[in-house]
Amino acid sequence: MPRSIIAGIGMYVPKNVYTNKDLMQYMDTSDEWIVERTGIRERRFADRKGETTATMGIEAAKVAIERAGITPQDIDFIIFATLSPDYYFPGCGVLVQRALQMKEIGALDVRNQCSGFVYALSVGDQYIRTGTYKNILVIGSEKHSFGLDFSTRGRNVSVIFGDGAAAVVLQPTEDPNRGLLSTHLHSDGNDAEILAMFNPGTHANYWKEGLADFDEAPVGQMFMSHSMVEKAQLFPNMDGQAVFKKAVVKFPEVIMEALRTNNYQPSDLKLLVPHQANLRISQFVQHTLKLRDDQVYNNIQRYGNTTAASVPIALCEAWQEGKIQPGDLVCLAAFGSGFTWASALFKW
Ligand code: COA
């Protein structure tokens, strides 16, 4: 059975850099608070008019496709992971298919937030292993800057997130010393509301929270209401400490699951590329697994948390910096809203 290799990888981040100091013009915060709690020093925000989740994903995809030595017409399946799509529907996958003038191939959208890219990779890997597709484009992209509360009320969430995209091309290899060895996916829906954006949605809390008056609102007008805007209910909610506590347990668990499944131990890792949620979480994981500094890649300092884009952006930068060579053991790991968490272990 063939294994998947990353034949090409590319990234795109917007030009606009927003430092922690820049955020102070919108909210009561400080560089010290943000750096100390998260490690983040700056993030990129997409151009308000021209750049979208899809356009950033398309730019990253062009680089990945070129580096794979193929053309957009060679791609036979698209998987697009994001929580900030251009449209509520359809998803971003078809926008990539159209923009790159691809054949009438399948386009799948993945909604798994911070673990979206690793989940997407896992789906693509199944099609490669079964011989269904030969060139799969997997994209992670986010435009968070359009949907965050930049007032002091939303500062615990908005200082963390940034915009950006990255993409890979998966291809099959018969080389026994290379490829994606295994993927491991998990979820625990008991904590679904701890890190969530509730509206617009179809949940029953519209009535309970007074977001819609079911007696007066005409049928069809409850999905979005003035009350949601007035009550600032269109922003993400997060219990940061609860997320932190779960993440520092589940990250090491799912990384160890990947290593044990393939008879490796942490010291065998050339590089761990964790989802860039918070530098303190990555440092905690590093400490738990007794990894050296050079075994863990972090770039949250420059980009913040870019959710579905964070793992592939970090992987792309690590590869561009020459930190990953053919045959190296590389582990990708992610944790996020849902909660969902996942890992993928490669022989690069
Ligand atoms: N600037 C300044 N003060 C802030 C602030 C900000 N951006 N955000 C929150 N605060 C304040 C709070 O209002 C609170 O003030 P109070 O003590 O007067 O009430 C104080 O800082 C402490 O807030 P708390 O939420 O307890 O801080 P924390 O130490 O838990 O750090 C996070 C907050 C969000 C940085 C931290 O919990 C975290 O990183 N969690 C994980 C989040 C994550 O990774 N999310 C993505 C998952 S994929």
Side-chain angles (χ1 to χ4, degrees), residues 150-226:
F150 281 102
S151 72
T152 297
R153 181 183 51 203
R155 64 184 177 174
N156 67 320
V157 176
S158 53
V159 299
I160 293 177
F161 293 97
D163 301 341
V168 300
V169 173
L170 291 183
Q171 286 180 351
T173 180
E174 298 290 345
D175 185 342
N177 299 315
R178 293 192 68 196
L180 181 48
L181 304 179
S182 61
T183 53
H184 305 270
L185 312 180
H186 295 281
S187 69
D188 177 1
N190 286 315
D191 293 322
E193 284 76 20
I194 278 180
L195 174 50
M197 185 165 138
F198 304 114
N199 306 307
T202 58
H203 58 87
N205 292 344
Y206 282 76
W207 175 73
K208 283 192 235 154
E209 293 170 7
L211 291 176
D213 185 335
F214 276 64
D215 294 329
E216 290 180 13
V219 170
Q221 290 195 4
M222 285 164 224
F223 193 63
M224 290 276 275
S225 71
H226 290 296

Side-chain angles (χ1 to χ4, degrees), residues 29 33 37 114 155-156 159 238 240-241 243 275 278 305 335:
T29 189
W33 193 96
R37 312 271 173 139
C114 297
R155 64 184 177 174
N156 67 320
V159 299
M238 179 177 75
Q241 291 192 12
V243 174
H275 162 54
N278 179 319
N305 178 343
F335 174 90

